[in-house]
Amino acid sequence: MTFPDVLKRGDEFLKEYPRQSRMWRFLSYSTCLITLGFSKLIMSTFYNVKVNNLDKLQDALKRAEKENRGIMTIMNHMSTVDDPTFWAAFPWKLYNWNPDNVRWCLGAENICFSNKLLGYFFSLGQVLSTKRFGVGPFQGSIDASIRLLSPDDTINMNWTPWGQVKEYFAPAGYQPPVKRNKPAWVHVYPEGFVLQLHPPYANSMRYFKWGITRMVLEATRPPIVVPIFTTGFENIINEGSKESFFKQIWKSIGTEINVTIGDPLDDSIINLVREEWDDLVKKFYDPEKPTDLSTRLKYGEEAQQLRSKVAAILRDNVAKIRDQERKFPPEDPRFKSPAWWKRFTTTEGKSDPDVKFIGQNWAIRRLQTFLNIDEKKKHNEGKNEEKPNRKEE
């Protein structure tokens, strides 16, 4: 079930840059091609790149186009160079010189959009500015991802408390904020942060956050979801190294990069959780504002339980590649638990001293110096303003 106001906010977020103009489209596609080409040159020249099961991704892309559906790829996050080097691992034929085949992804606002120049560069590279540290899944980049995954002219009409919504969000003359011929490809790192751990916990994952579950549940048509697991990028940039970026690149020449693509999630699984979401919408929509998510649908226990369930399903499918195809030792069961990660991060690792990070756990708020300014600003504007009582993402 899709709410018109969610799609409208997604449109507004995407319109922050002039993505409809011919000049923007030219510069955006050029930026993506140049970045991809340079990355491919580096990867093919200096690294041993192996891509397993590429046909699964190719078939998923073809099926998504045929069925007019968006496609989501979800992947573990082991290095700051995962993007764009990950995309450079694929052959040019995957993109078919088609701008619609270029992926969209989410990037941390405090890193990728820390100034106007970087903001324009990453926006041209089809990266959506995403806020971390307490902002949660109800923000512009997630709404925009839902919009990108949804065909321009569709909405779920199985049950609509607000009547003829197609008139509401797609009136005559409606111009989508991104010129395209099909729903988008959105790539997500659901852990939210890079994770590198010392043995015996290497190649493990954090829990998956809820933003990705909104994309699965709220896109107007169910997206095709493809899990991916990678290794080797963590050896290009080691989070614990004191050496410069370029020195690490030089010393990592010859590293094996392994990209393994898994089977797309069965449509029956996606449809089942979407049906559960539809039932919650029917039960908890707000009659006074039926075109938007109600408080219960955002922060209610039932909605949160469903998002946790979907996040766990998605994580299990990425872990399945790790365990069954890459043959790594089984993950520690603690790592599946959001509650464990929250406790571990809050105590800065003291709760479980056997788990050691390579470098820093960047989920620790104290390490994010940019938050100091924001927190002071909040204090000056009225820190005690009432907010909804809800569980953390």
Side-chain angles (χ1 to χ4, degrees):
M1 184 64 65
T2 310
F3 285 92
D5 284 4
V6 170
L7 300 177
K8 186 177 180 181
R9 284 194 296 272
D11 280 350
E12 291 170 351
F13 185 91
L14 291 167
K15 286 178 181 176
E16 290 179 4
Y17 293 92
R19 293 184 167 97
Q20 268 287 344
S21 75
R22 290 184 179 180
M23 180 57 71
W24 179 274
R25 295 200 302 274
F26 171 76
L27 292 174
S28 178
Y29 190 44
S30 299
T31 299
C32 292
L33 285 182
I34 292 170
T35 303
L36 181 60
F38 179 74
S39 299
K40 286 183 72 65
L41 176 64
I42 298 297
M43 295 294 288
S44 60
T45 303
F46 298 111
Y47 298 101
N48 179 18
V49 182
K50 296 181 179 180
V51 180
N52 306 310
N53 309 326
L54 178 64
D55 58 307
K56 294 181 179 181
L57 179 56
Q58 290 174 316
D59 291 345
L61 286 166
K62 291 177 184 176
R63 184 158 67 94
E65 183 171 4
K66 181 180 178 181
E67 298 174 6
N68 198 29
R69 296 164 63 184
I71 184 168
M72 292 176 59
T73 45
I74 55 176
M75 192 180 100
N76 61 318
H77 199 10
M78 295 198 67
S79 172
T80 54
V81 297
D82 282 345
D83 197 305
T85 51
F86 165 67
W87 304 105
F90 298 143
W92 281 111
K93 65 180 180 180
L94 185 74
Y95 306 102
N96 199 28
W97 298 99
N98 184 347
D100 286 336
N101 288 345
V102 177
R103 66 88 188 97
W104 292 77
C105 70
L106 282 67
E109 181 186 58
N110 62 299
I111 298 173
C112 301
F113 295 81
S114 57
N115 59 55
K116 284 189 176 181
L117 181 61
L118 282 174
Y120 272 98
F121 173 75
F122 281 101
S123 292
L124 287 168
Q126 298 194 171
V127 178
L128 303 174
S129 174
T130 307
K131 298 177 181 179
R132 301 188 292 188
F133 301 99
V135 177
F138 305 102
Q139 58 172 297
S141 61
I142 306 299
D143 293 335
S145 296
I146 293 168
R147 191 70 195 89
L148 289 167
L149 289 166
S150 302
D152 288 332
D153 59 351
T154 64
I155 195 164
N156 186 343
M157 297 292 287
N158 293 333
W159 179 85
T160 55
W162 48 82
Q164 298 297 317
V165 252
K166 200 164 187 178
E167 298 285 326
Y168 175 90
F169 94 99
Y174 168 75
Q175 292 292 324
V178 177
K179 187 174 179 59
R180 57 185 183 159
N181 297 310
K182 61 182 180 180
W185 171 3
V186 177
H187 181 73
V188 189
Y189 300 98
E191 297 166 88
F193 299 92
V194 169
L195 177 65
Q196 294 182 13
L197 297 177
H198 284 283
Y201 305 118
N203 302 110
S204 297
M205 294 184 291
R206 300 178 192 258
Y207 71 100
F208 281 11
K209 292 180 173 288
W210 285 351
I212 191 172
T213 70
R214 286 197 62 208
M215 301 177 205
V216 171
L217 297 173
E218 298 181 46
T220 60
R221 286 186 179 170
I224 296 174
V225 182
V226 181
I228 299 172
F229 188 83
T230 66
T231 58
F233 294 108
E234 74 279 9
N235 297 321
I236 297 178
I237 297 296
N238 183 291
E239 288 287 300
S241 177
K242 303 294 184 183
E243 296 177 326
S244 69
F245 176 85
F246 292 104
K247 192 169 185 179
Q248 286 193 70
I249 295 292
W250 175 257
K251 293 181 70 173
S252 67
I253 289 175
T255 293
E256 178 177 302
I257 307 298
N258 195 294
V259 177
T260 303
I261 301 159
D263 293 315
L265 270 70
D266 195 295
D267 281 349
S268 63
I269 296 174
I270 301 297
N271 290 334
L272 183 61
V273 295
R274 284 171 63 92
E275 287 172 9
E276 292 184 47
W277 171 248
D278 288 353
D279 290 340
L280 290 180
V281 171
K282 295 173 186 178
K283 188 176 180 181
F284 295 125
Y285 82 95
D286 183 353
E288 295 184 2
K289 194 176 181 182
T291 57
D292 204 355
L293 291 159
S294 66
T295 300
R296 290 288 294 273
L297 290 173
K298 286 183 177 181
Y299 311 121
E301 183 177 354
E302 296 92 337
Q304 291 190 340
Q305 287 176 348
L306 178 57
R307 291 190 185 101
S308 294
K309 174 182 174 180
V310 175
I313 291 171
L314 297 174
R315 189 188 186 283
D316 286 345
N317 276 267
V318 178
K320 182 180 178 181
I321 305 170
R322 176 194 182 277
D323 299 342
Q324 296 183 10
E325 296 206 41
R326 299 293 292 124
K327 306 297 184 183
F328 285 107
E331 275 190 308
D332 190 301
R334 292 175 293 182
F335 296 164
K336 294 182 180 181
S337 169
W340 182 86
W341 278 105
K342 292 178 189 301
R343 183 174 65 253
F344 180 81
T345 298
T346 300
T347 63
E348 300 192 9
K350 293 179 182 177
S351 64
D352 295 80
D354 61 309
V355 179
K356 299 291 186 184
F357 265 71
I358 296 174
Q360 300 282 3
N361 177 3
W362 294 110
I364 297 172
R365 294 180 67 88
R366 179 180 58 82
L367 301 178
Q368 302 298 326
T369 55
F370 79 97
L371 287 175
N372 295 334
I373 299 172
D374 292 343
E375 286 170 358
K376 287 177 183 177
K377 184 177 179 180
K378 284 181 183 178
H379 179 79
N380 293 334
E381 293 176 349
K383 199 174 180 179
N384 297 321
E385 181 181 352
E386 185 178 355
K387 295 181 180 179
N389 183 17
R390 64 178 179 90
K391 294 180 181 178
E392 287 294 325
E393 179 187 0

